[in-house]
Amino acid sequence: MQSSNARPRGSEGDADSPAENHDGLDMARTEASTGVRYDDPWYDELASGWGETGGGGAPVAPVATARAQREDRAAAAADVYLEVQRSAAFQEVRSRYRRFVVPAGIGFFTWYVAYVVTATSAPGLMARPVAGAVNVAMVAGLGQFLTTFLLTWAYARHARLRRDRAALELRWDTQELTRTARGGATS
């Protein structure tokens, strides 16, 4: 079989190697010296901005790409989010969240650790019968489940009554500010 340049394959090296001779040029040496592979299917000389000239032989300065414009809009949107994060409304929503979650989390964790420590250090206490075959350990274990459900209900109620409306208004304001910063139309 012959290659595209009419020379028989396999005469001076592997015919399937990427460093195959084309029209008398050693492509491997050319690629190594320039650092650009012309057989790369993703390489497009004009798309990358190389080789374009301004008519007089001088290279044309690259035009601002859509990527740069997107990055500018993203930076403007990021500034909006930083501004919202510093706002009093956002700080109020966060403080309401913390005022509920921190004490509730500490209380539940304390109750859980107390159950585990008592179960391991005082097995006699936990084995005391309460009613029939039900002992203190079973009641406390079921109490863990009950407090988990009660805490979930209390969290959802607190969020609905104290934070959701303010957070929703803040979200709408943020979206409107972001849309304006990105150059979109406001409605």
Side-chain angles (χ1 to χ4, degrees):
M1 182 187 287
Q2 293 186 347
S3 66
S4 62
N5 61 4
R7 286 192 249 160
R9 288 189 173 201
S11 61
E12 295 178 6
D14 187 14
D16 295 328
S17 74
E20 182 177 312
N21 289 338
H22 293 280
D23 297 327
L25 295 175
D26 185 4
M27 290 302 288
R29 187 174 45 210
T30 305
E31 290 170 4
S33 66
T34 62
V36 176
R37 291 187 50 165
Y38 293 104
D39 61 341
D40 184 3
W42 299 104
Y43 175 77
D44 184 4
E45 183 174 313
L46 293 177
S48 65
W50 295 357
E52 298 177 10
T53 59
V60 176
V63 180
T65 62
R67 179 183 224 170
Q69 293 170 352
R70 259 191 323 236
E71 288 173 356
D72 290 343
R73 287 190 304 245
D79 290 340
V80 167
Y81 283 101
L82 288 174
E83 177 184 333
V84 168
Q85 185 179 9
R86 293 181 191 118
S87 71
F90 182 82
Q91 296 303 323
E92 179 62 26
V93 170
R94 292 297 295 169
S95 70
R96 287 179 183 178
Y97 171 79
R98 286 187 195 109
R99 281 193 302 249
F100 179 83
V101 169
V102 170
I106 290 172
F108 185 77
F109 184 72
T110 303
W111 160 231
Y112 174 74
V113 169
Y115 171 74
V116 172
V117 167
T118 305
T120 57
S121 64
L125 173 68
M126 297 299 266
R128 283 191 186 155
V130 174
V134 177
N135 60 17
V136 174
M138 288 180 164
V139 172
L142 291 173
Q144 291 286 317
F145 285 105
L146 179 63
T147 56
T148 300
F149 291 123
L150 286 174
L151 187 61
T152 303
W153 170 81
Y155 176 81
R157 183 175 186 277
H158 180 270
R160 186 181 67 244
L161 295 177
R162 311 275 174 148
R163 292 192 325 263
D164 284 351
R165 178 163 293 149
L168 184 62
E169 290 173 5
L170 193 60
R171 182 180 305 140
W172 282 110
D173 293 344
T174 304
Q175 288 177 351
E176 187 64 30
L177 288 171
T178 304
R179 191 175 305 118
T180 303
R182 288 185 175 171
T186 59
S187 55

